Amino acid sequence: MLWLYILLGIVLFFAIILAIPIKVCVQYKKQFFCRLRIGFVKIILYPPVPKKKKPKKKKKTEQPQKPAPKKEEEPNDNFLKELGLSGLVNLFTRITELAAGVLKDFFAHIIIKSFALSIKVGGKDAADTAINYGKICSVVYPLTSAVISSMKYTHYGVDILPDFTKGAKTKIEFFAIFKTRIAHLVKIVLKHGFKALKMLMELKNIKDN
């Protein structure tokens, strides 16, 4: 009978582990932020948390110097600059294709607690802005429709607006909270692990190119 209690204990342990909820918070507002929450444990995936430096011991003979005023660092927007408008459109197009295939089963087990995408489209002049606006709308709206329709969601919104100011830059803001369970992730990894890895490599190549 002892082996039966041990077996039941192991089964109960794995059942509890697999039932643990996972929540991912993703935000992009000039800087990218991603936080993972597994049960009650929060992990910041990006940006990496800087390590605290140990303060250096000052010599007694040295007079304490006034700290130099800190310069306010401007948010880094390298991702959008490196990608460019054509790269951004290409990226959205590729994700749309993948969402219809590999990611369909993955998205079916994810709940969207909140989803908000805001894009302000700019260009060299009014005509260029209008062309860019049309390109982005033709890709982003089908993409979000394909992704959102394949998931359960509580709230979502997509807002794309043209900025006809001469020389205006395209700006993107994004916020989303996704929720699932470890059991679903284990099932997906066993079924689509290799395909998902291939997809990530393709997306990396799109960004690099």
Side-chain angles (χ1 to χ4, degrees):
M1 290 293 292
L2 181 60
W3 66 268
L4 181 60
Y5 289 117
I6 294 173
L7 181 62
L8 289 174
I10 293 172
V11 171
L12 181 61
F13 172 77
F14 280 105
I16 293 172
I17 294 296
L18 294 174
I20 293 175
I22 296 176
K23 189 180 289 185
V24 179
C25 176
V26 181
Q27 184 177 6
Y28 180 76
K29 190 175 182 180
K30 294 187 178 179
Q31 284 185 321
F32 183 74
F33 174 82
C34 182
R35 184 184 67 198
L36 174 66
R37 181 173 179 175
I38 304 175
F40 298 102
V41 180
K42 294 181 181 179
I43 304 170
I44 297 178
L45 300 178
Y46 194 90
V49 180
K51 295 181 180 179
K52 293 182 179 179
K53 294 181 179 180
K54 293 181 179 180
K56 294 180 180 179
K57 293 182 180 180
K58 295 181 180 180
K59 295 180 181 180
K60 292 182 180 180
T61 55
E62 292 181 356
Q63 293 181 353
Q65 296 179 351
K66 293 181 180 180
K70 293 182 179 180
K71 295 181 180 179
E72 293 185 1
E73 295 182 358
E74 295 183 357
N76 187 7
D77 197 14
N78 289 334
F79 176 76
L80 187 58
K81 289 180 180 178
E82 290 176 2
L83 222 59
L85 182 63
S86 60
L88 181 66
V89 172
N90 191 20
L91 178 62
F92 278 129
T93 304
R94 192 70 187 110
I95 294 175
T96 306
E97 295 172 357
L98 294 167
V102 179
L103 298 179
K104 188 176 181 179
D105 191 31
F106 177 74
F107 288 151
H109 298 288
I110 294 180
I111 299 172
I112 301 176
K113 303 297 291 183
S114 180
F115 181 96
L117 174 63
S118 175
I119 302 177
K120 186 176 286 186
V121 184
K124 296 177 182 178
D125 49 36
D128 189 40
T129 299
I131 294 171
N132 294 339
Y133 175 73
K135 287 180 180 179
I136 290 179
C137 286
S138 65
V139 174
V140 174
Y141 282 124
L143 168 63
T144 53
S145 177
V147 173
I148 297 296
S149 63
S150 61
M151 299 189 207
K152 298 175 182 178
Y153 60 89
T154 304
H155 170 75
Y156 88 96
V158 180
D159 188 19
I160 305 175
L161 295 173
D163 185 356
F164 291 106
T165 306
K166 187 176 181 180
K169 295 181 180 180
T170 299
K171 297 180 181 179
I172 298 176
E173 292 184 5
F174 175 74
F175 177 80
I177 298 177
F178 304 98
K179 187 178 179 181
T180 186
R181 295 187 181 275
I182 290 180
H184 298 321
L185 293 183
V186 171
K187 179 182 176 182
I188 291 164
V189 169
L190 293 175
K191 188 175 180 181
H192 296 296
F194 179 75
K195 291 181 180 179
L197 182 62
K198 185 180 178 182
M199 177 204 67
L200 291 174
M201 293 300 295
E202 289 178 358
L203 291 179
K204 185 178 181 298
N205 292 334
I206 290 174
K207 182 180 180 299
D208 293 340
N209 295 332

